[in-house]
Amino acid sequence: LVEGGKKAKISAGDIVGILTATKQIKAQDIGDITIFANTTYVAIKHKVAQKANQILQNSKIKNRFFNTFVLQL
């Protein structure tokens, strides 16, 4: 879960680009990305979820840091 969405002009390409830029997460590990007005849900394989959360917390999206959380479903 990323606390930013359409109002912050976040796109699915931004999320995928950040996660795959470090080469620690493969594009195959990323599933659906659903963007709402103020939140974005990113489906990621369980084995890389914590690493993805760490990457998103330490990276800027559109020149801003956003709060991120891992939701266990």
Side-chain angles (χ1 to χ4, degrees):
L1 171 70
V2 179
E3 286 190 342
K6 289 181 182 178
K7 288 186 178 182
K9 299 183 179 165
I10 293 177
S11 68
D14 296 331
I15 302 291
V16 172
I18 289 169
L19 291 174
T20 58
T22 61
K23 307 231 187 293
Q24 296 176 3
I25 296 177
K26 298 177 183 174
Q28 297 90 348
D29 294 335
I30 304 169
D32 292 339
I33 298 174
T34 307
I35 303 173
F36 295 106
N38 294 313
T39 56
T40 301
Y41 292 94
V42 183
I44 299 177
K45 288 188 178 178
H46 182 71
K47 64 180 181 177
V48 294
Q50 291 299 329
K51 184 172 290 294
N53 187 44
Q54 183 180 24
I55 291 169
L56 287 171
Q57 282 182 344
N58 296 325
S59 300
K60 286 185 178 182
I61 306 171
K62 301 286 185 182
N63 292 321
R64 289 181 52 199
F65 288 104
F66 291 93
N67 292 330
T68 62
F69 304 97
V70 175
L71 300 177
Q72 302 288 330
L73 299 178

